[in-house]
Amino acid sequence: MSEIITHLNGKAGETKFSRKREGRWRRVWRNLDTYVLLVPGLLLLLLFKYTPMYGVLIAFQEFNIFDGIRGSQWVGFEQFRKLMQSSEFMQVFTNTLLISIYKIVLLFPIPILIALLLNEIRFPAFKRTIQTIIYMPHFLSWVIISGLFMTILSPSDGLVNTVIQWFGGESIRFFMDNHVFRSVVVFTAGWKEIGWNAIIFIAALASVEQEQYEAASIDGANRLQQMWHISLPGIVPTIILMLILRLGMVLDAGTEQILTMYNPTVYASGDVIGTFVYRMGLGKMDYSFSTAVGLFNSVVGFILVISGNWLSKRLLNRGIW
């Protein structure tokens, strides 16, 4: 009897599984056009994101471009040992952290403030005009922006230095002075991206229920109190998400930006991991070492994202935010 029951249960399980599998394929067939639309995106990820990961093996080799990955000598973690003992990399790592921290501390809150202020504007035409003006720099390439600021900050005939000299000051070599170059990098990054980054927070504010503002107004809350107690708490999840994503890029201090702005005189303050990889990989053709630096960068970024996500969940569960 037990054998018969077991046999029947097995048949029932197989029938249930086959029905489930049949239903899954029926859904796929019914939405075949949608799945076909996924193919280009999946191919893009496969070809340009996952396939190049094979090149990570170079970080564990003494790579020779003529021998290729399969023919090059394996050296294990030798490249990483050289990386940790390199005084030049320690300086680059410090520069990267400082510039990224400056950008997070000084630039991350500003888009939030802009979004909160724009949300209080009651004239749509004026609001759209302000939004357009602050968004526009995002669409300029770093080559154009670098050329623009090099002209404005020129030590000979730049607008800023001309004003400084009018007031009796000395001309500042903004792009050749290690004491001010980081400030130029942070300022230009903010000028380009602050308005664009505010879009996300403006969209988040649009989801806050208007009834909350009406109820607060009836209770006597002024505009500032509504902003503090309704608008800001309403976008806290978005702020946390954006901060976590920003932490993941903490070792990406703006490679493209700095490549178009810096020069050997400011390597001590402006050389970051991305530019260092570029100089070592393409400049000195030390592919193994530059790959090790890039892999180190990616692993640290991954750890920061996971840690930030874990920390935010802990704080949210405890009701701190």
Side-chain angles (χ1 to χ4, degrees):
M1 177 65 72
S2 60
E3 294 179 356
I4 296 175
I5 294 175
T6 303
H7 178 71
L8 291 175
N9 288 335
K11 287 292 185 181
E14 290 178 4
T15 304
K16 184 178 180 181
F17 176 76
S18 61
R19 288 177 179 175
K20 184 178 180 181
R21 182 172 56 183
E22 183 181 354
R24 184 185 300 117
W25 283 110
R26 185 180 293 113
R27 288 195 300 270
V28 171
W29 181 256
R30 189 185 308 120
N31 301 287
L32 184 62
D33 54 344
T34 305
Y35 285 100
V36 170
L37 291 175
L38 287 174
V39 173
L42 293 175
L43 288 177
L44 181 69
L45 287 174
L46 180 64
L47 293 176
F48 295 100
K49 298 297 182 181
Y50 288 98
T51 303
M53 291 179 66
Y54 176 66
V56 170
L57 296 175
I58 296 174
F60 305 94
Q61 296 178 325
E62 192 64 50
F63 180 71
N64 188 306
I65 191 172
F66 299 104
D67 296 332
I69 295 179
R70 295 186 177 181
S72 298
Q73 178 184 0
W74 290 90
V75 294
F77 291 94
E78 176 64 23
Q79 302 296 342
F80 295 93
R81 185 191 63 79
K82 185 169 66 172
L83 172 68
M84 293 303 167
Q85 294 178 352
S86 171
S87 59
E88 187 177 7
F89 175 75
M90 290 298 107
Q91 180 64 53
V92 168
F93 185 71
T94 302
N95 293 340
T96 306
L97 284 181
L98 287 176
I99 293 175
S100 293
I101 291 172
Y102 291 158
K103 286 184 176 181
I104 292 175
V105 174
L106 300 177
L107 302 183
F108 185 79
I110 298 179
I112 302 172
L113 179 61
I114 291 176
L116 292 172
L117 294 177
L118 287 176
N119 190 56
E120 297 299 318
I121 297 177
R122 295 295 180 255
F123 301 98
F126 180 69
K127 182 178 181 179
R128 287 195 298 268
T129 302
I130 297 298
Q131 289 177 341
T132 302
I133 292 173
I134 63 177
Y135 295 167
M136 286 178 63
H138 170 78
F139 299 99
L140 300 176
S141 70
W142 275 116
V143 176
I144 296 175
I145 293 175
S146 298
L148 175 64
F149 276 94
M150 284 181 180
T151 301
I152 296 175
L153 302 177
S154 173
S156 56
D157 55 359
L159 176 62
V160 174
N161 276 311
T162 301
V163 173
I164 292 175
Q165 291 173 356
W166 280 349
F167 288 95
E170 295 184 0
S171 178
I172 302 175
R173 304 172 70 88
F174 288 95
F175 290 92
M176 300 184 70
D177 189 340
N178 282 294
H179 295 93
V180 298
F181 182 74
R182 288 177 187 153
S183 301
V184 173
V185 170
V186 174
F187 177 81
T188 52
W191 183 83
K192 184 177 187 294
E193 299 295 348
I194 279 177
W196 181 258
N197 292 335
I199 292 177
I200 299 174
F201 301 110
I202 293 173
L205 284 169
S207 64
V208 179
E209 297 178 356
Q210 293 300 315
E211 289 79 3
Q212 298 185 45
Y213 294 103
E214 296 172 1
S217 179
I218 294 173
D219 290 338
N222 57 36
R223 300 286 288 276
L224 184 60
Q225 290 172 330
Q226 293 177 29
M227 183 189 301
W228 182 257
H229 295 287
I230 299 176
S231 300
L232 187 58
I235 62 173
V236 163
T238 305
I239 294 174
I240 295 173
L241 174 62
M242 297 306 298
L243 183 59
I244 291 173
L245 294 176
R246 186 64 187 86
L247 287 175
M249 298 185 294
V250 73
L251 295 185
D252 181 14
T255 303
E256 182 182 358
Q257 173 194 9
I258 296 175
L259 273 176
T260 59
M261 289 184 174
Y262 83 152
N263 55 78
T265 60
V266 289
Y267 279 174
S269 62
D271 199 16
V272 295
I273 291 179
T275 58
F276 183 67
V277 170
Y278 175 82
R279 290 195 299 108
M280 298 301 295
L282 296 181
K284 297 184 179 180
M285 300 183 69
D286 192 347
Y287 300 110
S288 294
F289 184 70
S290 61
T291 304
V293 176
L295 182 58
F296 171 82
N297 190 5
S298 300
V299 170
V300 173
F302 175 77
I303 294 173
L304 289 174
V305 168
I306 298 300
S307 302
N309 186 46
W310 174 82
L311 181 61
S312 65
K313 288 182 178 179
R314 291 290 298 271
L315 295 177
L316 286 171
N317 291 336
R318 292 183 179 182
I320 295 178
W321 286 321

